[in-house]
Amino acid sequence: MTEQALPFGEKYYPAIKKLMEIRRRSLEDPISFWDEKARELIWFRYWDKVLDDSNPPFFKWFVGGVTNITVNALDKWMKTDVKNKVAYYWEGEPGDRRVISYADLYREVNRMAKVLREDLGVKPDDRVVIYMPMIPELPVALLATARIGGIHSVVFSGFSPKALADRIVDAKAKVLITADGYYRRGKVINLKRNADEGVRIAAEQGVEVEKVLVVRRGGLDLDVEMKEGRDFFYDELAKKIPDNVYVPPEPRKSEDVLFILYSSGTTGKPKGIMHSVGGYMVWVYWSFKWTWDPRPDDIMWTLADIGWITGHTYIVYAPLMHGMTNVMYEGAPDYPAPDRVWEMVERYRVTIFYTSPTAIRLFRKYGDEWVKKHDLSSIRLLGSVGEPINPDVWKWYYEVIGRGETPIVDTWWQTETGAAMIAPAPGIALVPLKPGSATFPLPGVDADVFNDRGEPAKPGEKGYIVIKKPWPGMLIGLWGDPQRYIRTYWQRFSKPDQGVWIYYPADYAVKDEDGYFWLLGRADEVLNVAGHRLGTTEIEDAILHHPAVAEAAVVGIPDPVKGEVPLAVVVLREGYRPSRELEEEIKKVVREVLSPIAVPARVLFVNKLPKTRSGKIMRRLIKAVATGAPLGDVSTLEDEASVEEIKRAWEEFKRAIEESERILRGEA
Ligand code: WTA
């Protein structure tokens, strides 16, 4: 980008210049750049090599280095004032509160580490699945596992037993940490029951979880079944352990796996995304520093669940490595009233508030009065993550929550990238913002936009975001499936014979005349529902669990709050007729098999799905018909079909939908 092209006032040039200068240095000589940056963290042994790129795309960072992330998140504070600082202000949905200092957290992590190692037999590299609500023992569980060198795999507590079982089986997990239950919208959810069911299904598939650790949330009146010899209440094991117990941090190689986090892909099977001990640690530490400009008196609230990457990085690892105070909340953001969150921001004097466009749209829907009731003047930075943020929502966030003076830090990244990749960097220099643009890549991130042919797209031309150099926080592979790792992320634009390796995130993007990046959503068959990634195939597979369903196709359609919601088109088996009841039953199956997030907004019934000659479902056609879009330019609609074919399929499909709707209204 050229400075002359910038439409902003003179005073901004220094900010952009400063950012570009650091970026240039980081990209011209990444080895010395990262060598210097990584030394700000504590290592038991420094690396022999910053980057081993001898076996691409399996890049290894800080090879020969040995560390443990919990030393950087906890131990290092024990000889400083941070020890007595609050690590978490926790609030349960009913309003119960806990305040946890760094010293408390340290004690609890050591204690759980001891229990995991000695009572449950967790050894380095064992997989520990964590299926817990948003209670303080959740970050404790991640850290305790990491401390003894286990590999954690957190499964979102809203996921179904089947989804839990799939993840247990894929990772061959030995231990499960769960809780008795939690509050959601005023109701007590019995999580242990789901956990038991998940463990049972996993056992049927040949993976026996040996031990289950159950944390009591407290204040619940729940009857929890415990299986003798397998299930243990955490408090009962912990009370035998002295307060000052010290579990030495397990020395971990930099390239060892810190955690696995499953995310949806384009097939029915979720991908076990692996992050490394050293690379992830260095990257999230720096990315956080640049993105949030952390200060000693900050109170950070990342309104997300630790079941997703945002919570891993921005509620647990990065803020703790910076000695930040965090707010953590158990329940629904609009319970018991739409101003729950603003009330908490006011009470805790939150300075950095970070959430998803879906949550922001929900707050906006409730109206400004709920916001105006509270003093939000403590906020100095607002963040957004998970989906593209529409400019009008951006402006509402800026005007109403940010009082027209708080910068919006729109952060583009993915589970795979570990932490923010493209984001305004107030920790370096705040560049002028454009509503809806995540602005520029951070240092170390060699991002660009490519067209279909793999050439850099022209300014304003829509293409695909790509990352042209490895960075420390990159995923190190997919658990048990190296081929899928290569296929999914590296095949599209790399030229192995020329030694060119290009990471492909599968997002559309545009770079404008000023060099600003605009991220435009997924370019693959992955939906983004309320900021959660869901594979179309995954939902289709769930729908097929219903005995009446012969075939199913799922597409995403726009939704004013959730961004996108699934819409299902279903072909029934012989002997079944479309009905509202059947529609509800199918939705219920999806809720049970997958998750409430995945439930289709509508189920439409047809006799035949529109397909290409080669049998590929014409998803874009379905989407266009469902959203009432005109047929328009069909040549770009489906890659493999002829114009005639599409026109015919379009007409047939429209008629089929109308027919089915008539039946449902009882007119046929
Ligand atoms: C989308 C969440 C536009 C994108 C951290 C990406 C975004 C997917 C943004 C990853 C943003 C995330 N603007 N789109 N600021 N942030 N996305 O793995 O499509 O749950 O590929 O990671 O969310 O979702 P994931």
Side-chain angles (χ1 to χ4, degrees):
M1 61 158 253
T2 56
E3 274 180 38
Q4 293 87 307
L6 288 171
F8 312 106
E10 288 270 314
K11 68 174 177 153
Y12 289 115
Y13 291 163
I16 294 182
K17 231 176 167 163
K18 190 170 167 197
L19 175 66
M20 293 307 154
E21 179 49 35
I22 297 179
R23 288 203 63 230
R24 196 173 51 76
R25 199 155 56 81
S26 76
L27 299 179
E28 278 174 8
D29 189 359
I31 302 305
S32 72
F33 182 82
W34 287 114
D35 188 74
E36 178 196 311
K37 295 295 175 212
R39 280 172 209 273
E40 273 209 19
L41 292 143
I42 299 164
W43 296 76
F44 302 146
R45 181 186 187 280
Y46 284 125
W47 45 94
D48 304 314
K49 208 166 183 206
V50 172
L51 172 65
D52 175 0
D53 55 3
S54 60
N55 182 27
F58 299 91
F59 298 98
K60 293 187 173 134
W61 284 88
F62 310 111
V63 181
V66 177
T67 186
N68 186 299
I69 196 167
T70 67
V71 172
N72 285 291
L74 295 169
D75 300 56
K76 87 166 173 210
W77 302 121
M78 290 308 119
K79 289 195 175 77
T80 71
D81 291 346
V82 175
K83 181 178 177 183
N84 299 314
K85 194 175 164 176
V86 174
Y88 293 107
Y89 284 114
W90 177 81
E91 215 167 283
E93 198 187 67
D96 43 342
R97 295 177 200 169
R98 288 165 67 182
V99 180
I100 291 134
S101 70
Y102 271 81
D104 297 335
L105 186 64
Y106 182 68
R107 192 176 54 235
E108 229 18 73
V109 167
N110 275 284
R111 202 164 16 198
M112 195 183 285
K114 181 99 176 163
V115 165
L116 289 177
R117 204 178 60 186
E118 263 140 58
D119 295 305
L120 279 75
V122 175
K123 294 189 190 58
D125 291 324
D126 281 349
R127 273 79 61 206
V128 175
V129 168
I130 301 177
Y131 184 54
M132 286 175 76
M134 285 286 285
I135 56 176
E137 287 78 7
L138 174 52
V140 170
L142 271 69
L143 293 159
T145 304
R147 188 154 188 95
I148 58 175
I151 298 173
H152 60 71
S153 167
V154 181
V155 178
F156 173 52
S157 59
F159 269 152
S160 67
K162 160 97 174 32
L164 170 65
D166 288 347
R167 287 154 179 78
I168 291 174
V169 170
D170 192 73
K172 297 196 179 59
K174 180 161 150 184
V175 165
L176 172 68
I177 311 179
T178 186
D180 50 353
Y182 60 99
Y183 283 97
R184 190 78 189 177
R185 298 206 171 278
K187 283 207 294 272
V188 173
I189 311 289
N190 190 328
L191 188 66
K192 178 62 164 55
R193 202 184 297 149
N194 284 358
D196 286 344
E197 181 62 8
V199 169
R200 190 189 62 75
I201 301 171
E204 267 176 18
Q205 294 171 27
V207 177
E208 294 271 358
V209 171
E210 292 171 19
K211 300 275 185 328
V212 178
L213 189 64
V214 183
V215 175
R216 274 191 270 236
R217 180 216 178 276
L220 303 176
D221 189 20
L222 264 183
D223 225 1
V224 174
E225 253 180 65
M226 298 291 279
K227 188 168 166 194
E228 181 76 37
R230 186 196 72 184
D231 300 355
F232 302 88
F233 280 119
Y234 174 58
D235 51 318
E236 285 169 15
L237 298 177
K239 73 176 176 228
K240 295 185 221 137
I241 294 166
D243 255 5
N244 59 355
V245 64
Y246 173 75
V247 174
E250 179 73 23
R252 297 288 279 164
K253 292 207 293 285
S254 177
E255 330 79 272
D256 281 342
V257 181
L258 174 65
F259 65 82
I260 306 172
L261 185 55
Y262 285 86
S263 181
S264 294
T266 50
T267 70
K269 193 169 172 281
K271 304 181 280 200
I273 293 163
M274 297 192 286
H275 277 287
S276 70
V277 169
Y280 175 83
M281 176 178 88
V282 170
W283 170 243
V284 307
Y285 177 85
W286 280 99
S287 176
F288 187 92
K289 197 172 169 115
W290 293 323
T291 319
W292 303 113
D293 184 23
R295 300 169 188 176
D297 52 356
D298 268 327
I299 312 280
M300 176 152 194
W301 189 3
T302 298
L303 181 63
D305 196 288
I306 294 175
W308 313 111
I309 190 69
T310 305
H312 280 58
T313 301
Y314 293 94
I315 304 177
V316 187
Y317 291 114
L320 296 179
M321 281 196 276
H322 285 281
M324 302 271 281
T325 295
N326 303 278
V327 173
M328 188 176 161
Y329 171 58
E330 174 185 41
D334 52 351
Y335 188 88
D339 61 342
R340 175 62 185 261
V341 163
W342 313 127
E343 189 218 318
M344 285 177 64
V345 167
E346 181 174 15
R347 175 141 27 90
Y348 295 109
R349 308 296 302 151
V350 169
T351 61
I352 303 177
F353 182 74
Y354 187 27
T355 195
S356 64
T358 287
I360 303 165
R361 287 190 297 261
L362 178 75
F363 299 136
R364 185 172 73 150
K365 200 182 84 181
Y366 283 123
D368 300 6
E369 321 79 81
W370 293 101
V371 184
K372 298 267 157 67
K373 282 165 69 173
H374 300 281
D375 172 11
L376 306 184
S377 61
S378 56
I379 299 178
R380 69 172 184 88
L381 286 177
L382 287 169
S384 174
V385 60
E387 308 153 67
I389 177 163
N390 341 39
D392 57 327
V393 175
W394 193 103
K395 285 180 195 145
W396 182 85
Y397 200 29
Y398 181 72
E399 294 297 339
V400 180
I401 308 301
R403 313 170 311 279
E405 48 190 51
T406 308
I408 308 282
V409 181
D410 177 6
T411 60
W412 176 84
W413 58 293
Q414 316 179 288
T415 306
E416 291 86 344
T417 72
M421 299 285 278
I422 300 185
I428 295 171
L430 186 66
V431 301
L433 304 174
K434 296 188 185 188
S437 165
T439 72
F440 300 107
L442 294 176
V445 177
D446 195 4
D448 204 347
V449 176
F450 276 8
N451 63 20
D452 269 320
R453 295 178 300 283
E455 303 149 350
K458 290 193 260 317
E461 185 191 351
K462 182 172 168 180
Y464 308 90
I465 182 100
V466 293
I467 314 292
K468 299 187 288 184
K469 273 192 185 59
W471 69 103
M474 63 197 302
L475 78 165
I476 53 169
L478 296 179
W479 179 261
D481 204 345
Q483 285 313 315
R484 190 175 180 192
Y485 167 69
I486 299 173
R487 229 177 25 244
T488 310
Y489 303 108
W490 302 96
Q491 200 146 296
R492 180 75 199 253
F493 291 124
S494 298
K495 296 187 189 109
D497 47 332
Q498 294 167 35
V500 175
W501 292 91
I502 308 277
Y503 172 78
Y504 175 66
D507 265 12
Y508 290 118
V510 168
K511 209 158 62 159
D512 69 16
E513 296 281 345
D514 303 320
Y516 279 64
F517 284 74
W518 300 73
L519 282 308
L520 306 171
R522 300 290 304 188
D524 57 7
E525 285 170 5
V526 170
L527 308 187
N528 192 331
V529 180
H532 303 312
R533 272 162 72 171
L534 291 167
T536 46
T537 326
E538 225 176 339
I539 308 176
E540 287 161 6
D541 287 353
I543 292 174
L544 290 172
H545 277 74
H546 194 289
V549 177
E551 253 192 309
V554 167
V555 296
I557 55 168
D559 178 89
V561 173
K562 295 178 181 167
E564 195 172 36
V565 288
L567 172 110
V569 183
V570 159
V571 178
L572 293 174
R573 290 192 191 197
E574 286 297 331
Y576 290 94
R577 271 178 60 82
S579 70
R580 289 278 181 223
E581 293 69 46
L582 201 49
E583 178 171 4
E584 289 312 311
E585 277 177 34
I586 290 170
K587 290 184 185 176
K588 188 159 163 253
V589 166
V590 176
R591 184 174 301 118
E592 282 165 5
V593 173
L594 207 53
S595 150
I597 303 162
V599 174
R602 279 298 317 272
V603 179
L604 305 177
F605 300 99
V606 292
N607 293 329
K608 187 163 136 241
L609 292 175
K611 286 187 189 166
T612 62
R613 252 167 306 190
S614 61
K616 223 175 141 229
I617 296 173
M618 298 169 156
R619 288 171 202 283
R620 278 184 281 181
L621 184 147
I622 294 178
K623 191 167 171 157
V625 172
T627 54
L631 185 54
D633 177 14
V634 288
S635 59
T636 59
L637 205 54
E638 302 291 339
D639 302 328
E640 285 182 36
S642 71
V643 174
E644 273 318 302
E645 217 184 328
I646 291 172
K647 279 191 179 148
R648 204 174 336 109
W650 174 277
E651 289 307 328
E652 266 179 29
F653 184 66
K654 251 172 73 171
R655 243 180 288 125
I657 298 276
E658 283 159 15
E659 171 70 16
S660 130
E661 292 297 287
R662 261 201 306 281
I663 295 177
L664 289 185
R665 286 197 302 269
E667 290 168 17

